[in-house]
Amino acid sequence: NNTARKAVMKAMLKNIDAQTLFIIHSGDLVDHGKKQYQWDRWFTTMEPLIQKLPLMPALGNHERNAVSYFNQFNLPGNERWYSFTVNNALIIVLDSCKPFIKDKNQLDWIDKTLKKARKNKSIKWIFATFHHPPYSTGGHGSSTLSQKYFVPLLDTYNVDIVFNGHDHSYERTFPMKKNKVADKNKNTYINPKGTIYIITGGAGAPLYGFKTNKTFSAKRRSFYHYCKVYIKNNNILTVSVFDKDNKLYDRISIKKN
């Protein structure tokens, strides 16, 4: 839905300030990654935004492992999985599509990258993004492969927040550890003992409803939206979620002592 995508893009454009540094995308930028006209339309629609800020995407299943994806983005590493550091934050971008989700090279790289980051005292925050959500009450549901291959590593190194896609909706979990809720606070966390997973799949594709109710789900809604992350004084983080009219829907804060 290019009309909805344009509306979300315009909302984001209005919410940029001097401290807005980059954009991440959790995959499925287009419906069919092997059709160039869809990429052309995506870049035309997104141009006002991405000419101002770098965009760092993850592969989704709709990219279909197409050469077009790799030809049109200049990403770090092998471009399937990579990392980058901004100020005191490390962001890792992973490939959760088959067969790469269980690729030993990727899993070893995740382990090595996160281990190094946790030994680096200048890194205060770690984020991850990949397409298939380990925890979801939406149409596709929870990815058992993401739970099996990614979650143990994310748990081991205490990743702060994971951004996912695949389900076309918004859903935020409570902090999770070993597939269980680790903190039942709704919005405000001090030194949380788990990872928060956020499905942000509302950038323009047809929206999905929800199929089940699960105890891990803290808040959810099927609507077009985007998330804005802000870090203050190194140790206070907020995630704010806005609809396509820039009305605030959800906000969480995390403080690390």
Side-chain angles (χ1 to χ4, degrees), residues 94-131:
L94 308 178
D95 186 354
S96 62
C97 298
K98 297 178 182 178
F100 297 99
I101 188 169
K102 56 184 179 180
D103 188 305
K104 187 177 184 300
N105 292 320
Q106 177 172 212
L107 299 176
D108 288 346
W109 177 88
I110 297 170
D111 185 56
K112 180 180 179 180
T113 301
L114 294 181
K115 183 182 293 183
K116 182 179 178 181
R118 280 304 178 208
K119 290 180 179 179
N120 184 345
K121 293 183 179 180
S122 67
I123 300 295
K124 304 297 183 185
W125 302 91
I126 299 179
F127 306 95
T129 184
F130 52 89
H131 190 59

Coordinates of all heavy atoms in Angstrom, one line a residue, residues 94-131:
L94 N 20.3 -9.1 11.7 CA 20.5 -10.5 11.4 C 19.6 -11.0 10.3 O 18.6 -10.3 9.9 CB 20.1 -11.3 12.7 CG 20.9 -10.9 14.0 CD1 20.4 -11.7 15.2 CD2 22.4 -11.0 13.8
D95 N 19.9 -12.1 9.8 CA 19.1 -12.8 8.7 C 18.3 -14.0 9.3 O 18.9 -15.0 9.6 CB 20.0 -13.2 7.6 CG 19.2 -13.8 6.4 OD1 17.9 -13.9 6.5 OD2 19.8 -14.1 5.4
S96 N 17.0 -13.8 9.5 CA 16.2 -14.8 10.1 C 15.5 -15.7 9.1 O 14.6 -16.5 9.5 CB 15.2 -14.2 11.1 OG 14.3 -13.4 10.4
C97 N 15.8 -15.5 7.8 CA 15.2 -16.3 6.8 C 15.8 -17.6 6.6 O 17.0 -17.8 6.9 CB 15.2 -15.5 5.5 SG 14.3 -14.0 5.5
K98 N 15.1 -18.6 6.2 CA 15.7 -19.9 5.9 C 16.6 -19.8 4.7 O 16.2 -19.1 3.7 CB 14.6 -21.0 5.7 CG 13.7 -21.2 6.9 CD 12.6 -22.2 6.5 CE 11.6 -22.4 7.7 NZ 10.5 -23.4 7.3
P99 N 17.7 -20.6 4.6 CA 18.2 -21.4 5.6 C 19.2 -20.7 6.5 O 19.9 -21.3 7.4 CB 19.0 -22.5 4.7 CG 19.5 -21.7 3.6 CD 18.4 -20.6 3.3
F100 N 19.4 -19.4 6.4 CA 20.4 -18.7 7.0 C 20.3 -18.5 8.5 O 21.2 -18.2 9.2 CB 20.6 -17.3 6.3 CG 21.0 -17.4 4.9 CD1 20.1 -17.3 3.9 CD2 22.3 -17.7 4.5 CE1 20.4 -17.4 2.6 CE2 22.7 -17.9 3.2 CZ 21.8 -17.7 2.2
I101 N 19.0 -18.6 9.0 CA 18.8 -18.5 10.4 C 19.6 -19.5 11.3 O 20.0 -19.2 12.4 CB 17.3 -18.6 10.8 CG1 17.1 -18.2 12.3 CG2 16.8 -19.9 10.5 CD1 15.6 -18.0 12.6
K102 N 19.9 -20.6 10.7 CA 20.7 -21.6 11.4 C 22.1 -21.8 10.9 O 22.8 -22.8 11.2 CB 19.9 -23.0 11.5 CG 19.6 -23.5 10.1 CD 18.8 -24.8 10.3 CE 18.4 -25.4 8.9 NZ 17.6 -26.7 9.1
D103 N 22.5 -20.8 10.1 CA 23.9 -20.9 9.5 C 24.9 -20.7 10.7 O 24.9 -19.7 11.4 CB 24.0 -19.7 8.5 CG 25.3 -19.8 7.7 OD1 26.4 -19.8 8.4 OD2 25.2 -19.8 6.5
K104 N 25.8 -21.7 10.8 CA 26.8 -21.6 11.8 C 27.6 -20.4 11.8 O 28.0 -19.8 12.8 CB 27.6 -22.9 11.8 CG 28.6 -23.0 13.0 CD 29.4 -24.3 12.9 CE 30.3 -24.5 14.2 NZ 31.2 -23.4 14.3
N105 N 27.9 -19.9 10.6 CA 28.7 -18.7 10.4 C 28.1 -17.5 11.1 O 28.7 -16.7 11.7 CB 29.0 -18.4 9.0 CG 29.9 -19.5 8.3 OD1 30.9 -19.9 9.0 ND2 29.6 -19.9 7.1
Q106 N 26.8 -17.4 10.8 CA 26.0 -16.3 11.4 C 25.9 -16.5 13.0 O 26.2 -15.5 13.7 CB 24.6 -16.2 10.9 CG 23.8 -15.1 11.5 CD 22.4 -14.8 10.9 OE1 21.9 -13.7 10.9 NE2 21.8 -15.9 10.4
L107 N 25.6 -17.6 13.4 CA 25.5 -17.8 14.9 C 26.8 -17.6 15.6 O 26.9 -17.0 16.7 CB 25.0 -19.2 15.2 CG 23.6 -19.6 14.6 CD1 23.2 -21.0 14.9 CD2 22.6 -18.6 15.2
D108 N 27.9 -18.0 15.0 CA 29.3 -17.8 15.6 C 29.6 -16.3 15.6 O 30.2 -15.8 16.5 CB 30.3 -18.6 14.8 CG 30.3 -20.0 15.1 OD1 29.6 -20.5 16.0 OD2 30.9 -20.8 14.3
W109 N 29.2 -15.6 14.5 CA 29.4 -14.2 14.4 C 28.6 -13.4 15.5 O 29.1 -12.5 16.1 CB 29.0 -13.7 13.0 CG 29.1 -12.2 12.8 CD1 30.2 -11.5 12.4 CD2 28.1 -11.2 13.1 NE1 29.9 -10.2 12.4 CE2 28.6 -10.0 12.8 CE3 26.8 -11.3 13.5 CZ2 27.9 -8.8 12.9 CZ3 26.0 -10.1 13.6 CH2 26.6 -8.9 13.3
I110 N 27.3 -13.8 15.7 CA 26.5 -13.2 16.8 C 27.2 -13.4 18.1 O 27.4 -12.4 18.9 CB 25.1 -13.8 16.8 CG1 24.4 -13.6 15.5 CG2 24.3 -13.2 18.0 CD1 23.1 -14.3 15.4
D111 N 27.6 -14.6 18.4 CA 28.3 -14.9 19.7 C 29.5 -14.0 19.9 O 29.7 -13.4 20.9 CB 28.6 -16.3 19.8 CG 29.2 -16.7 21.1 OD1 28.5 -16.5 22.1 OD2 30.3 -17.3 21.1
K112 N 30.4 -14.0 18.9 CA 31.6 -13.2 18.9 C 31.4 -11.7 19.0 O 32.0 -11.0 19.9 CB 32.5 -13.5 17.7 CG 33.8 -12.8 17.6 CD 34.6 -13.1 16.4 CE 35.9 -12.4 16.3 NZ 36.6 -12.7 15.0
T113 N 30.4 -11.2 18.3 CA 30.1 -9.8 18.2 C 29.5 -9.3 19.6 O 29.9 -8.3 20.1 CB 29.1 -9.4 17.1 OG1 29.7 -9.8 15.8 CG2 28.8 -7.9 17.1
L114 N 28.6 -10.1 20.1 CA 28.0 -9.7 21.4 C 28.9 -9.8 22.6 O 28.9 -9.0 23.5 CB 26.7 -10.5 21.6 CG 25.6 -10.2 20.6 CD1 24.3 -11.1 21.0 CD2 25.2 -8.7 20.6
K115 N 29.7 -10.9 22.5 CA 30.7 -11.1 23.6 C 31.7 -9.9 23.6 O 32.0 -9.4 24.7 CB 31.5 -12.4 23.4 CG 32.5 -12.7 24.5 CD 33.2 -14.0 24.2 CE 32.3 -15.2 24.2 NZ 33.0 -16.5 24.0
K116 N 32.2 -9.5 22.5 CA 33.1 -8.3 22.4 C 32.4 -7.1 22.9 O 33.0 -6.2 23.6 CB 33.6 -8.2 20.9 CG 34.6 -7.1 20.8 CD 35.0 -7.0 19.3 CE 36.0 -5.8 19.1 NZ 36.4 -5.7 17.6
A117 N 31.2 -6.9 22.5 CA 30.4 -5.6 22.9 C 30.3 -5.6 24.4 O 30.4 -4.5 25.0 CB 29.1 -5.6 22.2
R118 N 30.0 -6.7 25.1 CA 29.7 -6.7 26.5 C 31.0 -6.5 27.3 O 31.0 -6.1 28.4 CB 29.0 -8.0 26.9 CG 27.5 -8.0 26.7 CD 26.9 -6.8 27.3 NE 25.4 -6.7 27.1 CZ 24.8 -5.6 27.1 NH1 25.4 -4.4 27.3 NH2 23.5 -5.6 26.9
K119 N 32.2 -6.7 26.7 CA 33.4 -6.4 27.3 C 33.9 -5.0 27.1 O 34.8 -4.5 27.7 CB 34.5 -7.4 26.8 CG 34.3 -8.8 27.2 CD 35.4 -9.7 26.6 CE 35.3 -11.2 27.1 NZ 36.3 -12.1 26.5
N120 N 33.2 -4.3 26.2 CA 33.6 -2.9 25.8 C 32.8 -2.0 26.7 O 31.5 -1.8 26.6 CB 33.2 -2.7 24.4 CG 33.7 -1.3 23.9 OD1 34.0 -0.4 24.7 ND2 33.7 -1.1 22.6
K121 N 33.4 -1.3 27.7 CA 32.7 -0.4 28.6 C 32.1 0.8 28.0 O 31.2 1.4 28.6 CB 33.7 0.0 29.7 CG 34.2 -1.2 30.6 CD 35.1 -0.7 31.7 CE 35.6 -1.8 32.6 NZ 36.5 -1.4 33.7
S122 N 32.4 1.1 26.8 CA 31.8 2.2 26.1 C 30.5 1.9 25.5 O 29.7 2.8 25.1 CB 32.8 2.8 25.0 OG 32.9 1.9 24.0
I123 N 30.2 0.6 25.4 CA 28.9 0.2 24.8 C 27.9 0.0 26.0 O 28.1 -1.0 26.8 CB 29.0 -1.2 24.0 CG1 30.0 -1.0 22.8 CG2 27.7 -1.6 23.5 CD1 29.5 0.0 21.8
K124 N 26.9 0.8 26.1 CA 25.9 0.7 27.1 C 24.6 0.1 26.7 O 23.9 -0.5 27.5 CB 25.6 2.2 27.6 CG 26.8 3.0 28.1 CD 27.5 2.3 29.3 CE 28.6 3.2 29.8 NZ 29.4 2.6 30.9
W125 N 24.3 0.1 25.4 CA 23.1 -0.4 24.9 C 23.3 -1.3 23.7 O 24.2 -1.0 22.9 CB 22.2 0.7 24.5 CG 21.9 1.7 25.6 CD1 22.5 2.8 25.9 CD2 20.8 1.6 26.5 NE1 22.0 3.5 26.9 CE2 20.9 2.7 27.4 CE3 19.8 0.7 26.7 CZ2 20.0 2.9 28.4 CZ3 18.9 0.9 27.8 CH2 19.0 2.0 28.6
I126 N 22.6 -2.4 23.6 CA 22.7 -3.3 22.5 C 21.3 -3.6 21.9 O 20.3 -3.9 22.7 CB 23.3 -4.7 22.8 CG1 24.8 -4.4 23.3 CG2 23.3 -5.6 21.6 CD1 25.5 -5.7 23.7
F127 N 21.1 -3.3 20.6 CA 19.8 -3.6 19.9 C 20.1 -4.6 18.8 O 21.1 -4.7 18.3 CB 19.3 -2.3 19.3 CG 19.2 -1.1 20.2 CD1 20.2 -0.2 20.3 CD2 18.0 -1.0 21.0 CE1 20.1 0.9 21.2 CE2 17.9 0.1 21.9 CZ 18.9 1.0 22.0
A128 N 19.0 -5.3 18.5 CA 19.1 -6.3 17.4 C 17.8 -6.1 16.6 O 16.7 -5.7 17.1 CB 19.1 -7.7 17.9
T129 N 17.9 -6.3 15.3 CA 16.8 -6.4 14.4 C 16.9 -7.6 13.5 O 17.9 -7.8 13.0 CB 16.5 -5.1 13.7 OG1 15.3 -5.1 12.9 CG2 17.7 -4.8 12.7
F130 N 15.8 -8.3 13.3 CA 15.6 -9.3 12.3 C 14.2 -9.5 12.1 O 13.3 -9.0 12.8 CB 16.3 -10.6 12.8 CG 16.0 -11.1 14.1 CD1 14.9 -12.0 14.3 CD2 16.7 -10.7 15.3 CE1 14.5 -12.4 15.6 CE2 16.4 -11.2 16.5 CZ 15.3 -12.1 16.7
H131 N 13.8 -10.2 11.0 CA 12.5 -10.2 10.5 C 11.5 -11.0 11.3 O 10.4 -10.5 11.7 CB 12.4 -10.6 9.0 CG 11.1 -10.4 8.4 ND1 10.6 -9.2 8.2 CD2 10.3 -11.3 7.8 CE1 9.4 -9.3 7.6 NE2 9.2 -10.6 7.3

